[in-house]
Every structure is written in structure tokens, then in C-alpha cells.
């Protein structure tokens, strides 16, 4: 019997808000985040094989792990455990065509995992519902469930507990890519260090100098310091009730949610916020130049995407995004740019013959 391969298209994400709360006992941070899927897509094809393999082509292909470390392979294995009858073969050849850069703060690995889940569910006719797939996704990585869902959604917990957000309109973005990636655990660890250093500074009382190096991190952009549209300390992050170790519980920005319903990028732009931005900037100080260049060139919102190092700029409309992309390229502050829009659908099977 010939089985037709299954191809799935899956989007990158940016976080319109990323409020990072206290470190939990399991090593993750309690989050409140607003995910937003954008039209920069990877494609993943699966077909039955004698043994599982993965082949990667496109952007940053050499940086994507092969074998069991690959998130798409792990996702296929997790789905096989959840849904494959005992004794049935679950070996698949996985082919990933990447446009989403690796370790860029755009959840490219999670996207490939989500695509593999949808593709294998189809290939094996496993029949898992969206909710069942989402449960498997949460076990593979914190952002995988969102890559299944797409659109605009609020994530809580590790980011895997999702609620669809009421967002209107289409938002046009320019993504500015950096040379080299950033490791997500390292960015969270830097965030913890900055917070600990700040706590020491606060405990030492007024007039005491902050620890060396902290000043630069504190000079975070207005974006980082505007969670929820209220002034908050860029290191402490979003305001809310105090959690463990004095770190506030993360709080959803109601101002952002209202702005998203207005379909007005000018209302959304100033409310973008990312508690990981000071940490990403402490590890990559040169990103400050990228963010400033975007703002000077007229972006109506500017932020580091997720754990970085990609910078995301919100434009007024499609034409403004094209102009901004050209100017940013000319400014020489990044390794490349991509224009995209959101929200877009999550991982979707592409009819045979339509993929490229
Ligand atoms: O779940 P995922 O593998 O995508 O997370 C990668 C890493 O990011 C985790 O191992 C953890 O260090 C960090 N992380 C975190 N808190 C979260 C999500 C991720 O500390 N809510």
C-alpha cells in the first residue's frame, strides 16, 4: 500500500506581552504571555519509513539538532506513545524546510514539533482531537501547544495553558534577525540573576550602588518597562502580587487586551512588553542599537521577541512594514529582515501538491 506523505505548514510566534513570574520548583517560570502567530512558516513533511530519520533544509539548517534531540522527532515519539497501537510501526522520515531562524525567540523548534504532531496524527489516522494533541504538545515543550493553535492567545503556567484572545484586525511586523541564537534557558537564568542583583540592591537601601553591569540592563527600552501600560521596573517585570523570592506574580495586561480588540496598531504598539528583554539585552548589548534604529525609522512598537535575539517591530500597515524592512536592512543593524503579518492559523495540513 502506498501512503501519501503529509505536509504541515506552521507559523513562528512573537509575544505581545511576556510577563515572567517567580521561578517554580520544577525549574520553569510562571508566565502570563500573549502569543501571536505570524506569517513566517516552516514546513514539515512526514512519511512512513523503516526507521525514524530527520532531514533539515533552509534557514539555519546546520544548527538544527539531528536525531532524538530534534523536537519534531520527540513530538512524533510522544504522539506514538499516546496514540499508536502496541506493535504498530511508528517510524517516520521527517523532512523540515525551515524559514524560521533557530534559537531566535520565534519558537521555531516548537513550531516544528507542533507540525510533526499534526502530520503524524494525519499520517497514522490517529484521530486525536485538538485538545488531546494540545496535551501531548505540552509534554514536548512550553510553546508547542500554541504553535498548534495559532492566532492570538493568552498563555499561562509555563505558557502551555491557552485561552484564545479576542483580537481584531491584522498587524504588520518586521522581524530583524541577529547573527547567532540565544539559548532560552540562559536568557531565563540571566533574568533571574538580574532580579537577584536588584533584590540585593534594594535590600542594601537607597544610595547604594547597583551591582556592576546592572545599570546597562536597567536601561531597558520603554517597551520593556511598560507591561500593562503602567510603569513597572524593567528588571522586576510586570506588577502584581508578590510571589516567591519577592518576584511578582505575572499579570495579564488588560490595557493590551483592550487595544487588541480595537484593531489599531497605534494603540497596541506602546503596550508591547517583554520581561525577558533586559536579560536578552544583557547578553546581547548590540540589540539596543537594533531596537533604537527601528524606533527611529518609525516603528510604532519595538521589542525583543520572546527570549531573543530577534527584534520585532510593529508597523502601521503593510506598506509601512515594507518601507521599514528596507530601511532596517540599509541601517546594517541585523543579519536580515522578514516582513510578516499576524495573526495566522496554527499548524495546518497542506493539500498535496501545494507545498514548496
Ligand atoms: O519548554 P521548553 O523546552 O520550550 O523551555 C525551554 C527552557 O526555557 C526551559 O528548560 C526553561 O529553562 C526555560 N523556561 C522557563 N519558564 C518557562 C518556559 C521556559 O524557565 N515558562
Amino acid at each position: 500500500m502506498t501512503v501519501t506523505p503529509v505536509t504541515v505548514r506552521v507559523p513562528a510566534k512573537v509575544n505581545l506581552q511576556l510577563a515572567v513570574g517567580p521561578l517554580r520548583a520544577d525549574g520553569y517560570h510562571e508566565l502570563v504571555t500573549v502569543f501571536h502567530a505570524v506569517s513566517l512558516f516552516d514546513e514539515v513533511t512526514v512519511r512512513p519509513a523503516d526507521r525514524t530519520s530527520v532531514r533539515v533544509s533552509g534557514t539555519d539548517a546546520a544548527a538544527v539538532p539531528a536525531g532524538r534531540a530534534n523536537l519534531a522527532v520527540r513530538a512524533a515519539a510522544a504522539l506514538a506513545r499516546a496514540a499508536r497501537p502496541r506493535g504498530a510501526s511508528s517510524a517516520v522520515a521527517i523532512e523540515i524546510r525551515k524559514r524560521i531562524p533557530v534559537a531566535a525567540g520565534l519558537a521555531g523548534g516548537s513550531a516544528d514539533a507542533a507540525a510533526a504532531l499534526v502530520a503524524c496524527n494525519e499520517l497514522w489516522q490517529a484521530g486525536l482531537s485538538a485538545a488531546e494533541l494540545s496535551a501531548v504538545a505540552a509534554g514536548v515543550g512550553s510553546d508547542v501547544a500554541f504553535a498548534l493553535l495559532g492566532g492570538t492567545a493568552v498563555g499561562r503556567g509555563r505558557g502551555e495553558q491557552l485561552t484564545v484572545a479576542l483580537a481584531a484586525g491584522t498587524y504588520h511586523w518586521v522581524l530583524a534577525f541577529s547573527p547567532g541564537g540565544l539559548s532560552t534557558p540562559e536568557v531565563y537564568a540571566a533574568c533571574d540573576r538580574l532580579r537577584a542583583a536588584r533584590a540585593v540592591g534594594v535590600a542594601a537601601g537607597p544610595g547604594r550602588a547597583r551591582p556592576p553591569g546592572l545599570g546597562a540592563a536597567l536601561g531597558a527600552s520603554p517597551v520593556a518597562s511598560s507591561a500593562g501600560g503602567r510603569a513597572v521596573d524593567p528588571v522586576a517585570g510586570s506588577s502584581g502580587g508578590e510571589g516567591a523570592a519577592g518576584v511578582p506574580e505575572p499579570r495579564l495586561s488588560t490595557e493590551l487586551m483592550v487595544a487588541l480588540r480595537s484593531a489599531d496598531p497605534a494603540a497596541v504598539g506602546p503596550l508591547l512588553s517583554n520581561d525577558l528583554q533586559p536579560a536578552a539585552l544583557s547578553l546581547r548589548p548590540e540589540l539596543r542599537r537594533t531596537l533604537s534604529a527601528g524606533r527611529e525609522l518609525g516603528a510604532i512598537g519595538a521589542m525583543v521577541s520572546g527570549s531573543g535575539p530577534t527584534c520585532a517591530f510593529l508597523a502601521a500597515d503593510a506598506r509601512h512594514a515594507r518601507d521599514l524592512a528596507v530601511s532596517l536592512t540599509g541601517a546594517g543593524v541585523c543579519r536580515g529582515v522578514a516582513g510578516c503579518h499576524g495573526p495566522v492559523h496554527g499548524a495546518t495540513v497542506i493539500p498535496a501538491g501545494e507545498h514548496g
Side-chain angles (χ1 to χ4, degrees):
M1 183 181 79
T2 318
V3 180
T4 317
V6 179
T7 295
V8 169
R9 192 171 86 147
V10 66
K13 61 84 190 159
V14 295
N15 303 75
L16 307 180
Q17 181 191 9
L18 179 46
V20 179
L23 181 60
R24 311 189 318 194
D26 64 1
Y28 287 89
H29 293 75
E30 194 64 24
L31 300 184
V32 171
T33 187
V34 181
F35 288 114
H36 181 72
V38 294
S39 60
L40 176 68
F41 299 102
D42 280 358
E43 280 181 12
V44 174
T45 300
V46 297
R47 62 190 91 225
D50 295 333
R51 61 181 188 85
T52 292
S53 65
V54 60
R55 203 173 76 202
V56 187
S57 61
T59 308
D60 291 344
V64 178
R68 294 197 169 277
N70 187 290
L71 276 183
V73 173
R74 277 161 46 187
L79 186 70
R81 282 194 299 277
R84 211 62 187 133
R86 206 178 271 274
S89 167
S90 58
V92 278
I94 303 174
E95 208 183 309
I96 305 175
R97 287 179 295 283
K98 288 208 69 66
R99 289 205 192 92
I100 309 173
V102 173
L106 298 167
S110 297
D112 299 341
L117 287 179
V118 170
C120 290
N121 194 38
E122 181 81 11
L123 185 76
W124 296 331
Q125 297 284 296
L128 261 64
S129 66
E132 288 166 335
L133 277 182
S134 188
V136 176
V140 179
S142 305
D143 293 344
V144 182
F146 176 71
L148 289 175
L149 184 66
T152 305
V154 176
R156 298 176 191 275
R158 288 187 289 128
E160 84 289 11
Q161 297 162 22
L162 297 170
T163 319
V164 172
L166 288 172
T170 296
Y171 297 88
H172 296 272
W173 299 89
V174 178
L175 304 178
F177 305 126
S178 278
L182 272 176
S183 140
T184 303
E186 280 173 26
V187 176
Y188 274 100
C191 177
D192 291 339
R193 279 198 304 277
L194 290 173
R195 286 173 165 177
R198 174 184 168 275
V200 169
V202 169
R208 284 294 298 267
R210 285 195 150 111
L214 189 58
L218 284 170
S221 71
V223 173
S225 60
S226 66
R230 291 197 285 136
V232 290
D233 188 305
V235 172
S238 302
S239 50
E242 291 281 305
V247 175
E249 291 297 331
R251 192 185 64 87
L252 181 65
S253 163
T254 46
E255 294 87 344
L256 175 64
M257 301 315 283
V258 170
L260 283 171
R261 287 199 287 274
S262 76
D264 179 8
V268 170
L271 297 173
L272 300 171
S273 68
N274 179 2
D275 285 357
L276 288 181
Q277 182 161 311
L281 293 179
S282 74
L283 297 171
R284 285 290 170 81
E286 64 273 22
L287 294 179
R288 280 170 203 291
R289 255 187 78 216
T290 314
L291 289 173
S292 313
R295 281 192 213 98
E296 279 159 25
L297 292 167
I300 54 180
M303 63 175 172
V304 169
S305 174
S307 53
T310 303
C311 293
F313 299 101
L314 183 59
D317 51 32
R319 193 192 171 136
H320 182 210
R322 276 196 297 277
D323 292 346
L324 190 56
V326 171
S327 318
L328 270 168
T329 305
V333 290
C334 52
R335 78 154 153 150
V337 299
C340 57
H341 63 270
V344 296
H345 282 294
T348 308
V349 174
I350 317 181
E354 283 186 23
H355 51 273

